[in-house]
Amino acid sequence: MDIRSMDLIYNLEMERLNSIMDLKNFVLFKQGAEARIYKGVYLGKPCLAKERFPKKYRHPDLDHSITTERIRAESRAIVRCKNAGIRTPMLYLVDYNRRIIFLEYFENHITVKDYIEQCSDEETLKSLSLRIGNLIGKLHSKNIIHGDLTTSNILLIKKGDGELTITKKDLVLIDFGLAHLETSAEDKGVDLYVLERALISTHSAAKEIFINILNGYKEVNKNNFKEIYSKFEEVRARGRKRTMVG
Ligand SMILES: Nc1ncnc2c1ncn2[C@@H]1O[C@H](COP(=O)(O)OP(=O)(O)OP(=O)(O)O)[C@@H](O)[C@H]1O
Ligand SMILES: [Mg+2]
């Protein structure tokens, strides 16, 4: 089924379920700069609602088109990841009118950011970084650009009994509002650069983590790695120059 027909089905579903999915039944647990995140229940399952509220400083028309684009990007990327075997929250419902996306909520999760901060074992950190590299490599091999790669946007899902392992299945990518499809190496290089910057500003072991992420990336993206890495270096050099100029 193509994405357009899926949008249509979601819109019809949305109308039918509008009354059920009242945010009054949801609990706000995070207020960010872009969105409010709520937790609730959808058809008996834990559900997360992400509401992209209007920004007062933007012209309403522009605000509407940016928000619609973010919601569309997020829902499309989730469907594409699913097709590519990359784990993301399941997409339950998209409500363009109320600017809300309803997703599977992972009860037992820790963000990779928090996990890294509390992890003192080098080997664990190394295998986690390699897995993250595998994940991003796979994403890029399907030409999906995430657009906001940070360790807050990757979750580690714990087992029912609370046990935490680091396999492909335990890592979940989230927050696809800036995602898009692109085959060229340039955007993949930019994605890696965004991640490197985020790591440097968040983690003291950023350098080792990033080297291992690149090693993991290369494992699944051998053929294109050279080209993507050289684009990444170009983007990084441009970034440095900009910082020096001010
Ligand atoms: N599907 C999910 N299941 C459980 N928790 C989630 C899920 N999606 C997001 N979260 C939690 O909510 C936080 C924010 O989600 P998300 O990144 O989608 O929104 P955001 O507005 O971009 O926030 P941020 O600015 O922190 O990145 C995540 O860091 C995570 O802790
Ligand atoms: Mg986020």
Side-chain angles (χ1 to χ4, degrees):
M1 193 188 305
D2 68 21
I3 298 281
R4 236 174 266 274
S5 340
M6 291 191 75
D7 274 352
L8 186 68
I9 290 171
Y10 283 128
N11 283 337
L12 290 172
E13 263 294 283
M14 181 271 289
E15 273 174 37
R16 190 175 69 80
L17 291 167
N18 220 345
S19 53
I20 305 172
M21 306 306 284
D22 191 332
L23 282 187
K24 282 206 285 287
N25 302 322
F26 281 66
V27 178
L28 178 72
F29 77 86
K30 190 171 182 288
Q31 161 94 56
E34 289 275 322
R36 291 188 197 103
I37 316 266
Y38 302 81
K39 197 195 151 193
V41 176
Y42 170 79
L43 301 177
K45 296 190 189 108
C47 171
L48 177 139
K50 186 166 176 177
E51 180 190 30
R52 295 181 184 272
F53 50 82
K55 295 281 188 54
K56 296 279 180 298
Y57 60 81
R58 274 189 207 135
H59 186 280
D61 294 347
L62 178 67
D63 187 62
H64 180 262
S65 65
I66 289 176
T67 302
T68 305
E69 193 35 58
R70 296 263 159 92
I71 294 176
R72 186 166 288 150
E74 183 142 37
S75 42
R76 284 182 174 177
I78 285 173
V79 174
R80 283 179 181 130
C81 283
K82 229 10 62 180
N83 290 337
I86 296 162
R87 196 169 176 200
T88 65
M90 250 183 298
L91 183 63
Y92 291 154
L93 198 69
V94 182
D95 183 338
Y96 285 108
N97 295 330
R98 289 190 298 165
R99 314 154 76 107
I100 310 171
I101 185 165
F102 294 90
L103 300 166
E104 170 184 11
Y105 179 85
F106 295 100
E107 293 282 6
N108 272 327
H109 81 271
I110 177 167
T111 63
V112 164
K113 173 175 181 265
D114 291 344
Y115 183 77
I116 290 175
E117 288 309 289
Q118 67 181 49
C119 174
S120 49
D121 181 51
E122 257 178 52
E123 275 311 303
T124 310
L125 210 53
K126 184 177 171 190
S127 72
L128 171 64
S129 308
L130 283 169
R131 285 272 172 261
I132 294 172
N134 292 159
L135 179 71
I136 300 167
K138 177 112 185 261
L139 190 77
H140 284 182
S141 73
K142 303 289 175 186
N143 300 316
I144 305 166
I145 312 298
H146 183 278
D148 188 19
L149 284 176
T150 65
T151 47
S152 308
N153 286 336
I154 310 173
L155 307 181
L156 257 171
I157 312 302
K158 295 176 192 165
K159 306 256 177 327
D161 58 5
E163 192 206 348
L164 208 154
T165 50
I166 305 171
T167 69
K168 181 185 150 201
K169 281 199 305 220
D170 305 312
L171 282 175
V172 168
L173 257 185
I174 60 165
D175 204 0
F176 287 92
L178 297 173
H180 59 279
L181 270 189
E182 177 58 60
T183 52
S184 79
E186 170 95 18
D187 286 20
K188 294 172 189 172
V190 173
D191 233 14
L192 291 177
Y193 177 64
V194 168
L195 176 64
E196 189 196 34
R197 300 303 310 163
L199 288 171
I200 290 168
S201 67
T202 322
H203 303 292
S204 54
K207 201 168 166 207
E208 296 76 44
I209 295 171
F210 192 61
I211 288 171
N212 285 315
I213 288 180
L214 288 177
N215 286 335
Y217 186 97
K218 197 157 51 173
E219 281 173 6
V220 294
N221 234 345
K222 266 193 207 83
N223 297 341
N224 301 324
F225 183 74
K226 236 174 125 185
E227 194 193 349
I228 294 166
Y229 188 75
S230 97
K231 281 290 172 197
F232 157 74
E233 282 188 313
E234 253 178 54
V235 175
R236 181 157 69 173
R238 286 207 295 265
R240 288 228 175 97
K241 213 156 142 194
R242 217 173 295 130
T243 317
M244 274 158 55
V245 173

